[in-house]
Amino acid sequence: MSDGKVTIEQRENGPLVVKNLGNLQLADGTEAECKPVMALCRCGGSSNKPFCDGSHKENGFDSAASDVADKDKVRAYQGAEVTIYYSPLLCSHAGECGRRAASVFNTSQKPWIQPDNGTLEEIREVMRACPSGALRYSETGGEGETLTDAAVSITIEKDGPYRVCNIPVEAGYWADGQSEKKYVLCRCGKSGNKPFCDGTHSDEGWTDGA
């Protein structure tokens, strides 16, 4: 009998099995009807996305992750009052940082993160909006903090990953500073950091066909 706890299970070379979820938001902003047990596609091939239709059996989906420990390097950008921490391994390339605080997060400047170019509230807004947890912040000298306003939920990003908040998931490797408060799960089947997204969908121009 279920205890009502929301969980995500990985099926080897198969879907993500989600139990007891109350809020699954689709890419168009609408909410899907949640069943007690749902199988979500993560091979990128289902014709019934976000749900699994068995395509993983036909397309040879491999759920194994690569050895990513050598890529797990957190970079610290120290300002006068705030230090911003960035984990490239976790970044899903959602671009919320540049949209919300371009003076702080700008890839055309070096370094691309400059904390002193923005206000604390602007930086906190970016931390809350970053879906992957790749960005954290602290008062300079403190420990990095992951911010989220979301409740227990899964949100589907258009042509991107599953954005997950406050749901435990078992994974072979958790990156330095990664938090269950929020993370992103691969939906295209191409990530080298499965079950997590590493931005490969963006690099390769993957679309969900919806």
Side-chain angles (χ1 to χ4, degrees), residues 10-14 42 60-66 194-195:
Q10 298 184 65
R11 294 284 170 85
E12 185 176 3
N13 300 330
R42 61 168 175 157
F61 172 65
D62 184 354
S63 61
S66 305
K194 297 184 188 78

mmCIF file of all heavy atoms in Angstrom, residues 10-14 42 60-66 194-195:
data_model
loop_
_atom_site.group_PDB
_atom_site.id
_atom_site.type_symbol
_atom_site.label_atom_id
_atom_site.label_comp_id
_atom_site.label_asym_id
_atom_site.label_seq_id
_atom_site.Cartn_x
_atom_site.Cartn_y
_atom_site.Cartn_z
ATOM 1 N N GLN A 10 13.733 5.270 -11.347
ATOM 2 C CA GLN A 10 14.286 5.054 -12.668
ATOM 3 C C GLN A 10 14.133 3.582 -13.044
ATOM 4 O O GLN A 10 14.555 2.716 -12.288
ATOM 5 C CB GLN A 10 15.777 5.376 -12.690
ATOM 6 C CG GLN A 10 16.159 6.796 -12.371
ATOM 7 C CD GLN A 10 17.652 6.973 -12.530
ATOM 8 O OE1 GLN A 10 18.185 6.859 -13.637
ATOM 9 N NE2 GLN A 10 18.350 7.221 -11.438
ATOM 10 N N ARG A 11 13.562 3.341 -14.189
ATOM 11 C CA ARG A 11 13.548 1.988 -14.731
ATOM 12 C C ARG A 11 14.750 1.849 -15.659
ATOM 13 O O ARG A 11 14.952 2.679 -16.543
ATOM 14 C CB ARG A 11 12.249 1.713 -15.494
ATOM 15 C CG ARG A 11 11.019 1.704 -14.593
ATOM 16 C CD ARG A 11 10.919 0.433 -13.779
ATOM 17 N NE ARG A 11 9.892 0.517 -12.758
ATOM 18 C CZ ARG A 11 8.600 0.261 -12.960
ATOM 19 N NH1 ARG A 11 8.180 -0.069 -14.171
ATOM 20 N NH2 ARG A 11 7.739 0.342 -11.957
ATOM 21 N N GLU A 12 15.532 0.797 -15.443
ATOM 22 C CA GLU A 12 16.733 0.620 -16.247
ATOM 23 C C GLU A 12 16.381 0.574 -17.732
ATOM 24 O O GLU A 12 15.527 -0.211 -18.163
ATOM 25 C CB GLU A 12 17.466 -0.654 -15.850
ATOM 26 C CG GLU A 12 18.790 -0.841 -16.569
ATOM 27 C CD GLU A 12 19.558 -2.059 -16.098
ATOM 28 O OE1 GLU A 12 19.036 -2.806 -15.237
ATOM 29 O OE2 GLU A 12 20.678 -2.266 -16.591
ATOM 30 N N ASN A 13 17.036 1.436 -18.498
ATOM 31 C CA ASN A 13 16.807 1.557 -19.940
ATOM 32 C C ASN A 13 15.332 1.809 -20.275
ATOM 33 O O ASN A 13 14.853 1.450 -21.352
ATOM 34 C CB ASN A 13 17.295 0.311 -20.680
ATOM 35 C CG ASN A 13 18.773 0.066 -20.473
ATOM 36 O OD1 ASN A 13 19.550 0.987 -20.281
ATOM 37 N ND2 ASN A 13 19.175 -1.191 -20.500
ATOM 38 N N GLY A 14 14.630 2.417 -19.317
ATOM 39 C CA GLY A 14 13.214 2.680 -19.496
ATOM 40 C C GLY A 14 12.811 4.012 -18.908
ATOM 41 O O GLY A 14 13.651 4.899 -18.694
ATOM 42 N N ARG A 42 11.735 9.248 -21.043
ATOM 43 C CA ARG A 42 13.040 9.912 -20.926
ATOM 44 C C ARG A 42 14.007 9.444 -22.019
ATOM 45 O O ARG A 42 15.203 9.712 -21.942
ATOM 46 C CB ARG A 42 13.659 9.701 -19.557
ATOM 47 C CG ARG A 42 13.944 8.246 -19.184
ATOM 48 C CD ARG A 42 14.808 8.206 -17.947
ATOM 49 N NE ARG A 42 15.034 6.865 -17.462
ATOM 50 C CZ ARG A 42 16.071 6.527 -16.706
ATOM 51 N NH1 ARG A 42 16.977 7.434 -16.378
ATOM 52 N NH2 ARG A 42 16.214 5.282 -16.276
ATOM 53 N N GLY A 60 16.600 1.561 -28.531
ATOM 54 C CA GLY A 60 17.847 1.189 -27.868
ATOM 55 C C GLY A 60 18.296 2.158 -26.801
ATOM 56 O O GLY A 60 19.505 2.297 -26.554
ATOM 57 N N PHE A 61 17.359 2.819 -26.137
ATOM 58 C CA PHE A 61 17.714 3.785 -25.104
ATOM 59 C C PHE A 61 18.566 3.147 -24.006
ATOM 60 O O PHE A 61 18.251 2.067 -23.501
ATOM 61 C CB PHE A 61 16.454 4.374 -24.481
ATOM 62 C CG PHE A 61 16.693 5.229 -23.280
ATOM 63 C CD1 PHE A 61 17.388 6.428 -23.382
ATOM 64 C CD2 PHE A 61 16.245 4.830 -22.018
ATOM 65 C CE1 PHE A 61 17.622 7.215 -22.274
ATOM 66 C CE2 PHE A 61 16.463 5.617 -20.908
ATOM 67 C CZ PHE A 61 17.153 6.810 -21.033
ATOM 68 N N ASP A 62 19.641 3.832 -23.645
ATOM 69 C CA ASP A 62 20.555 3.380 -22.592
ATOM 70 C C ASP A 62 20.485 4.392 -21.456
ATOM 71 O O ASP A 62 20.827 5.557 -21.636
ATOM 72 C CB ASP A 62 21.974 3.284 -23.141
ATOM 73 C CG ASP A 62 22.968 2.724 -22.130
ATOM 74 O OD1 ASP A 62 22.588 2.513 -20.956
ATOM 75 O OD2 ASP A 62 24.138 2.511 -22.505
ATOM 76 N N SER A 63 20.030 3.948 -20.298
ATOM 77 C CA SER A 63 19.848 4.868 -19.177
ATOM 78 C C SER A 63 21.111 5.091 -18.361
ATOM 79 O O SER A 63 21.115 5.874 -17.414
ATOM 80 C CB SER A 63 18.748 4.345 -18.239
ATOM 81 O OG SER A 63 19.114 3.075 -17.700
ATOM 82 N N ALA A 64 22.195 4.414 -18.721
ATOM 83 C CA ALA A 64 23.437 4.547 -17.953
ATOM 84 C C ALA A 64 24.051 5.927 -18.159
ATOM 85 O O ALA A 64 24.006 6.497 -19.259
ATOM 86 C CB ALA A 64 24.428 3.470 -18.364
ATOM 87 N N ALA A 65 24.615 6.452 -17.094
ATOM 88 C CA ALA A 65 25.304 7.742 -17.167
ATOM 89 C C ALA A 65 26.776 7.539 -17.498
ATOM 90 O O ALA A 65 27.338 6.458 -17.268
ATOM 91 C CB ALA A 65 25.182 8.483 -15.845
ATOM 92 N N SER A 66 27.391 8.550 -18.042
ATOM 93 C CA SER A 66 28.834 8.528 -18.263
ATOM 94 C C SER A 66 29.539 8.856 -16.952
ATOM 95 O O SER A 66 28.917 9.266 -15.977
ATOM 96 C CB SER A 66 29.214 9.552 -19.338
ATOM 97 O OG SER A 66 28.496 9.333 -20.535
ATOM 98 N N LYS A 194 22.847 11.294 -16.881
ATOM 99 C CA LYS A 194 21.553 10.716 -16.530
ATOM 100 C C LYS A 194 21.542 10.240 -15.082
ATOM 101 O O LYS A 194 22.551 9.749 -14.592
ATOM 102 C CB LYS A 194 21.233 9.533 -17.456
ATOM 103 C CG LYS A 194 21.095 9.888 -18.934
ATOM 104 C CD LYS A 194 20.682 8.648 -19.714
ATOM 105 C CE LYS A 194 20.728 8.896 -21.202
ATOM 106 N NZ LYS A 194 22.113 8.849 -21.718
ATOM 107 N N PRO A 195 20.409 10.409 -14.405
ATOM 108 C CA PRO A 195 19.103 10.823 -14.928
ATOM 109 C C PRO A 195 18.967 12.328 -15.098
ATOM 110 O O PRO A 195 17.932 12.794 -15.546
ATOM 111 C CB PRO A 195 18.144 10.330 -13.847
ATOM 112 C CG PRO A 195 18.909 10.508 -12.577
ATOM 113 C CD PRO A 195 20.318 10.121 -12.948
#
